[in-house]
Amino acid sequence: MRKRQKEKILELIQTFRQAHKEILMAVLKGEETAFLLLEQCQQGAVRIGEIIEQSENECSEIIGSLEAYCEWLYEKYQAFVSNEEPAEDFLKEGDAFCHRLSRQIAKDISVRMEVVFLPYKASMWDSLESVWMAAREDPSCDSYVVPLPYYDRRQDHSFGQLRDESEMYPSYVPITRYTEYDLKERHPDMIFIHNPYDDSNFVTSVHPFFYSENLRNYTDCLVYIPYFVLEDQPCSNREYTEAVAHFCNVPALQYADRVIVQSEQMRETYIQVLTQIWGAESRPIWEKKILGLGSPKMDKGTAGKQELQIPDPWRKRMYRPDGSKKKIVLYNTCLLYTSDAADDG
C-alpha cells in the first residue's frame, strides 16, 4: 500500500471519533442527522476495507475489526430508530473500535514507495540513472521512468517544434509514456528531475505543467539533480563562485525539497552563492535542502564495462579488428566561455 493511502486511512479513522461525538449530540437533541452520520461512518469503514483488500498485505484481522465496527454501527442505528437512549458507554465503545483499528493498521500494513523519474533529454539520463537503479533494486519501491517531451524555443521565446526522445533510452530502462502516468491522481512519494530552468531556458522547454514550481504540488518530495558536473574549487575562491553562480540560482533550487550535488565542497559553494543572493536569513534553508551526495554522472563514468551498452558504430571506432582498444580522446563543447579556457588554448 502507498504511504499516502495508509496516512489517509488513519486520518479517516480519526474522523470516526469526531463523528461519534456528533452522533451522540444529534440523538440527544432528536435530530435525524444522527442516522446520516452513522451511515457515513459505515460507508467509510467499507471503503477502508476495499482499499486494504486491494493491497498486497494479509490483513484478515483488520477486515474482521472493520466488519465488527460496521455491525456495531448497525446495532446503534436500529436502537436509535427505536428511540432508545444512547448508552453511557457509546463514545467509549466507539473509541475502542477506532483505537484497535489504528493500532492494527499501523502494525500490519506495510507501505511501498512510488518514485518517478522525469528526464527530458535522453543524453542527460545518466544524471539520474544510478539513482533509478537503486530504486529499481529496492523491494519496497515502485519506480517509473517517464520521459517528458520538450519544445525547441524560437527567437521570440515561444514554443517551437515538439521533440519526444522516449525511444532513445537504453533498452534496459522500462519507459512509461507521460500520457499514461497521471501525476495528479497518483501523487508519487518522490519525483526526480534534472531540468532546473522552468521558463528561464532560452533553448528548450518542457510543458509548463512539468516546471518544478508546479511539480512540487504533486509529490511529497521533489528532488533536483543537476544534469552537469562543474569544476570543484573551494568556495573561498571568489572568481570561481561568481563564475558558477548562474548554475546555482535556478528555479529548481527554490522549489525542490532536496537538491543533490556532486560533492560536499560543491554543496558549500551552492550554499554560499544562494545565501549571498537571497540573504543571510535564507542560509538554514539551503543547508537543509542541498546535499553533497555525489553525481550519478560520475557513477556512470566509473561503471564497469559489463554495465555499459556501447553503440555498434562507436564500438567499431573504439576497437581494432583484432579486438585491441584504440587510444581515445574525448572532445567536448559547451555554451560556457571563460578567459581561462581561452588561455589554456
Side-chain angles (χ1 to χ4, degrees), residues 106-330:
K107 179 175 69 75
D108 297 338
I109 294 185
S110 59
V111 297
R112 298 183 63 81
M113 293 278 289
E114 184 159 315
V115 180
V116 179
F117 296 83
L118 299 180
Y120 81 111
K121 283 195 173 182
S123 61
M124 298 175 180
W125 169 241
D126 58 359
S127 62
L128 298 175
E129 185 173 85
S130 63
V131 181
W132 166 74
M133 286 180 169
R136 179 188 59 177
E137 297 303 318
D138 187 340
S140 66
C141 180
D142 296 318
S143 61
Y144 297 85
V145 179
V146 185
L148 303 178
Y150 64 92
Y151 298 92
D152 291 331
R153 292 278 200 182
R154 300 189 181 98
Q155 287 188 344
D156 62 359
H157 202 55
S158 63
F159 290 168
Q161 181 179 352
L162 181 65
R163 301 183 183 275
D164 187 348
E165 300 185 356
S166 298
E167 304 301 324
M168 298 172 62
Y169 287 76
S171 59
Y172 54 82
V173 180
I175 297 300
T176 301
R177 305 291 295 191
Y178 76 98
T179 54
E180 299 172 357
Y181 190 92
D182 191 333
L183 284 171
K184 292 181 180 180
E185 179 181 344
R186 299 182 71 101
H187 197 98
D189 298 285
M190 301 181 74
I191 293 177
F192 285 85
I193 60 173
H194 64 65
N195 173 23
Y197 300 113
D198 287 3
D199 193 42
S200 63
N201 189 336
F202 291 95
V203 181
T204 61
S205 175
V206 296
H207 189 280
F209 177 83
F210 297 106
Y211 289 168
S212 60
E213 182 179 9
N214 190 51
L215 287 177
R216 61 176 176 165
N217 299 316
Y218 302 112
T219 182
D220 296 335
C221 185
L222 178 62
V223 183
Y224 162 57
I225 302 178
Y227 64 86
F228 51 81
V229 292
L230 301 173
E231 181 183 3
D232 235 336
Q233 292 190 19
C235 60
S236 57
N237 184 335
R238 182 176 178 181
E239 184 177 348
Y240 167 72
T241 56
E242 290 177 351
V244 301
H246 66 283
F247 289 107
C248 306
N249 189 35
V250 289
L253 264 294
Q254 301 175 44
Y255 301 121
D257 298 289
R258 292 292 183 270
V259 177
I260 299 175
V261 297
Q262 66 197 58
S263 66
E264 277 297 321
Q265 185 167 258
M266 185 59 65
R267 173 180 179 267
E268 291 302 319
T269 297
Y270 269 72
I271 291 172
Q272 178 169 310
V273 168
L274 291 165
T275 300
Q276 290 174 346
I277 294 172
W278 293 93
E281 66 278 4
S282 70
R283 187 177 184 88
I285 297 175
W286 312 124
E287 289 179 337
K288 178 181 179 181
K289 177 180 293 194
I290 302 171
L291 307 173
L293 300 179
S295 170
K297 291 181 73 71
M298 295 180 178
D299 296 337
K300 186 72 171 181
T302 57
K305 294 181 181 179
Q306 70 279 4
E307 298 179 40
L308 300 177
Q309 289 187 352
I310 302 175
D312 288 337
W314 288 21
R315 186 177 293 278
K316 290 178 182 179
R317 293 180 179 274
M318 293 170 61
Y319 293 90
R320 300 182 180 90
D322 63 2
S324 60
K325 193 173 182 180
K326 299 178 182 179
K327 183 177 181 179
I328 300 169
V329 176
L330 178 63

